[in-house]
Amino acid sequence: EVHEIVVPHIGHVPVAKGDFKYLPKQVQDFVTQWVDVCQPRAVYICDGSVEEAEEITAKLMERGTLHKLTKYPNTYICRTDPRDVARVESRTVVCSVDRYATECHTKDGAASQLAHWISPENMDAAMQERFPGCMAGRMMYVIPFSMGPIGSPLSKIGVELTDSNYVVLCMRLMTRVSHDIWRVLGNNEFVRCLHSVGCPRPVNYRVVNHWSCNPEKVIIAHMPDDRMVVSYGSGYGGNSLLGKKCFALRIAGRIAYDEGWMAEHMLIMSVTNPKGVEKFFVAAFPSACGKTNLAMIQPTLPGYTVRCVGDDIAWMRFNKDGQLMAINPENGFFGVAPGTNHQTNPNAMAALQRDCILTNVAETADGGYFWEGLEDEVDKDIPITTWLGKPYKIGSKENYPSSHPNSRFTAPAKNCPIMHPKWEDPAGVPISGIIFGGRRPEGVPLVIEAEDWKHGVFLGAQVKSEATAAAEFKGKQIMHDPMAMRPFLGYNFGKYLQHWLDMEKPGRKMPKIFHVNWFRKDQNEKFLWPGFGENIRVLDWMMRRVDGEDIAEPTAVGLVPKEGSINTDGLNINWKELFSIPPDYWKGDIHETRRYLEEQVGDDIPPVLRSELDRVEARVDAM
Ligand SMILES: O=C(O)CSc1cccnc1C(=O)O
Ligand SMILES: [Mn+2]
């Protein structure tokens, strides 16, 4: 076995684990290149085994980064530096030679919200400023991982180099990490991922919560042409688990554009009705708008069964029979903890009974976890320690909230009791419906069906939602989040929309496209729709529409359910208000959609989409 690597500038670097010569030559070159730059004290080639996880967990517990929750087997809690708690959109960039391969020709040079470009020169400068020597005194972990079942023709392989053992543990839960990857990869293409917390040793400042990070110098950069991602300064979630947003959406989106498939910010689920008919849906909602909850709903209608394939990312491709097939490229869930409880998502709670890592949640004195939403599920008087390490009691204002609004659970998908038997099927699952949606407290009906594919792409492009905690926006503004992909684009959004439009080809069974809004309120700020398990009623209506039942009627904004065609037995629903399409609201909304698309996509708006915008706007203006 080769127990060291020889690199030009620093000579011999020990290989603490694994056999370097077993790696494919192209991976050896990738590792050697960055060992030489980052200068770690040693290299650790991960194999994804339980033993490896136990070894690294013990190391993190010893250091105080991870704390064991005795109430649940193999479950740990982690607190970050409070400055490192969410995706950092302002520091997330995409590098391309031509600026407009990444950004759109925005109107009047407005700053792009849809992907932030960095020039190759500025990329190099940013790398030079950060990576040389950044891993001094640290271990470089080499993580071989597959997005999608190992060996599936729809899967893609990545290799992440990182100096964070927290990332090693989470990547093992979120992706498929295995020694077998090397054999499956051979000399094929792989996505290069380089991550550092940006804290070379010796560090001469106090590290908060044993969580090394370098917030001032955070950069999350993508080089789609080179199929590469580099991330520096943040240890958290989508910034550091590079298989997730960086690879599976931004880089994969560009690969999908080149290869003719789709990488989308979507859950994948199946619904089986009392007659035993099963249909699969994907749904794209902005961050923290309930994808995990919908993917795992417990139907309230008798005789319906919902199963989960994935809760956040879908890779989709039309097969030779013209059927759209989807896989979940991930292996676990990295879900928002606050608001998750046995009422809102009993299946997620079932997946949180063992083998999880919880980040920035609170801890109960009896060795359990706590977050906002669990008040009725723990002993009212139990002493709680907040994510900031402060004392908290349920009902108290002091040290509220107990958990960071973007605190997360990292859980292996296999522990979710309703995973579909085909959730790892290499061929994927057949998609009948695509659902867009967002948090719209006003004016938007419970469900709208697109008249056709291009109208559906328009419904996706006009997605908006009240801001949430998953990124750095604050407050209750209505934010645009076209296709629910605004933070996750890897190339020109106009080209991305054209790519969607180009998916429609003769011989293909184009899925129906819908838009949902669970969050409409009446003038007293009361929700008009109960949501959660009751959403099965809307999915049932969609299934019947897919089968062509005459239960929809046309409106200026699309097809809506005929009165009474959604089963509302047992509910007290104000149908009129829930489905009203207030002309003034929609006139304002469609003009805001035009303003946003003109400003942010400008000349890159695909002509077919522009004509959809004109067509719908004319109908709304005539209301
Ligand atoms: O990556 C983070 O730190 C939070 S963002 C996130 C995590 C899992 C799934 N989706 C998202 C998102 O922002 O869409
Ligand atoms: Mn997401």
Side-chain angles (χ1 to χ4, degrees), residues 37-186:
V37 172
C38 304
Q39 306 188 356
R41 64 177 171 77
V43 170
Y44 185 111
I45 300 169
C46 299
D47 62 14
S49 64
V50 172
E51 297 70 27
E52 180 173 277
E54 286 168 353
E55 176 202 332
I56 292 175
T57 299
K59 196 186 298 186
L60 283 176
M61 283 176 68
E62 200 183 302
R63 191 180 304 155
T65 309
L66 276 194
H67 176 57
K68 189 169 176 52
L69 285 183
T70 50
K71 203 169 177 182
Y72 306 97
N74 192 28
T75 299
Y76 301 86
I77 200 165
C78 172
R79 289 182 202 144
T80 69
D81 180 315
R83 299 171 299 164
D84 190 16
V85 293
R87 283 185 292 103
V88 187
E89 291 188 18
S90 56
R91 302 290 190 81
T92 300
V93 293
V94 177
C95 180
S96 55
V97 175
D98 166 16
R99 171 181 197 146
Y100 298 108
T102 296
E103 291 188 1
C104 292
H105 291 84
T106 57
K107 196 171 173 194
D108 310 328
S112 168
Q113 278 190 27
L114 302 166
H116 303 128
W117 177 68
I118 185 170
S119 69
E121 299 71 33
N122 288 344
M123 182 77 241
D124 287 346
M127 300 277 291
Q128 278 311 315
E129 200 189 311
R130 292 168 171 81
F131 284 92
C134 70
M135 294 189 185
R138 291 180 181 276
M139 186 74 80
M140 176 194 275
Y141 295 95
V142 180
I143 309 174
F145 65 96
S146 174
M147 295 312 293
I150 297 176
S152 159
L154 306 182
S155 297
K156 297 283 178 190
I157 286 175
V159 177
E160 178 162 347
L161 312 181
T162 178
D163 53 11
S164 162
N165 20 43
Y166 169 86
V167 166
V168 174
L169 292 183
C170 287
M171 280 291 280
R172 180 176 170 273
L173 294 177
M174 294 304 295
T175 74
R176 290 157 177 98
V177 177
S178 160
H179 187 68
D180 292 346
I181 299 280
W182 303 125
R183 175 180 47 75
V184 172
L185 173 62

Side-chain angles (χ1 to χ4, degrees), residues 292-447:
T292 307
N293 286 349
L294 180 62
M296 300 181 188
I297 62 167
Q298 200 142 37
T300 55
L301 292 182
Y304 287 81
T305 306
V306 161
R307 289 192 182 87
C308 177
V309 174
D311 77 329
D312 191 50
I313 296 174
W315 285 0
M316 303 192 287
R317 185 187 304 244
F318 282 94
N319 69 11
K320 60 184 180 349
D321 305 328
Q323 173 60 53
L324 185 62
M325 304 298 284
I327 63 164
N328 169 11
E330 298 194 289
N331 196 26
F333 304 118
F334 189 69
V336 180
T340 303
N341 60 42
H342 281 93
Q343 303 311 313
T344 61
N345 193 335
N347 290 307
M349 294 308 290
L352 295 175
Q353 298 308 307
R354 56 171 305 120
D355 308 328
C356 297
I357 296 176
L358 300 143
T359 309
N360 286 340
V361 300
E363 179 177 353
T364 55
D366 63 350
Y369 44 68
F370 179 81
W371 49 71
E372 276 53 56
L374 287 178
E375 289 77 4
D376 298 338
E377 301 195 12
V378 300
D379 169 352
K380 284 264 178 290
D381 300 323
I382 193 152
I384 289 169
T385 306
T386 69
W387 75 284
L388 290 169
K390 302 272 193 290
Y392 173 73
K393 274 285 182 72
I394 291 174
S396 159
K397 290 232 177 324
E398 201 185 341
N399 298 322
Y400 177 88
S402 69
S403 303
H404 186 277
N406 189 46
S407 54
R408 295 273 170 169
F409 54 79
T410 312
K414 65 180 177 6
N415 288 353
C416 172
I418 61 157
M419 293 311 284
H420 194 281
K422 291 192 167 186
W423 86 272
E424 297 191 279
D425 187 319
V429 293
I431 299 303
S432 298
I434 297 174
I435 306 169
F436 290 106
R439 288 174 189 271
R440 301 294 298 275
E442 203 189 336
V444 178
L446 179 64
V447 55

Side-chain angles (χ1 to χ4, degrees), residues 86-87 236-238 244-245 265 287 312 334 406 408 470 488:
R87 283 185 292 103
Y236 187 79
K244 194 173 187 38
K245 301 299 188 177
H265 187 207
S287 310
D312 191 50
F334 189 69
N406 189 46
R408 295 273 170 169
F488 308 119

Side-chain angles (χ1 to χ4, degrees), residues 24 118 168 178 190 197 232 236 248-249 325 388 484 498 557 561 571:
I118 185 170
V168 174
S178 160
F190 68 98
V197 294
Y232 181 97
Y236 187 79
L249 284 177
M325 304 298 284
L388 290 169
Q498 186 59 57
V557 300
L571 299 182

